[in-house]
Amino acid sequence: MMHPSSPRARAIAVPAPAAIPLGALLPWAVFGLLLSVLMLYFVGAEQGAVSLISGHGVHEFVHDGRHLLGFPCH
């Protein structure tokens, strides 16, 4: 029970979130997809038969990620 001198709670109207138009969302979705494919390439295929970067730096950097995702590397 509330004390008689305490203020009463009032309902506050909260506006509904606006919908994001597809035209504004599509470029970000394409960017995210390209970034994901690039990351998957570097984790799964770089330093293999079709290597873009020479040396073992990329392999050592993503070594644990390869094992986590199930890619064989040795």
Side-chain angles (χ1 to χ4, degrees):
M1 181 162 196
M2 292 178 48
H3 191 271
S5 65
S6 64
R8 293 189 175 215
R10 286 190 265 170
I12 299 174
V14 178
I20 301 173
L22 185 60
L25 187 60
L26 189 60
W28 290 103
V30 170
F31 174 71
L33 179 67
L34 290 175
L35 193 62
S36 298
V37 168
L38 183 67
M39 189 168 61
L40 184 63
Y41 167 76
F42 275 109
V43 171
E46 181 62 27
Q47 301 303 121
V50 289
S51 180
L52 294 177
I53 301 171
S54 63
H56 293 283
V58 174
H59 175 86
E60 295 302 325
F61 185 72
V62 297
H63 186 261
D64 292 336
R66 280 177 202 245
H67 289 297
L68 182 68
L69 295 173
F71 287 102
C73 65
H74 21 134

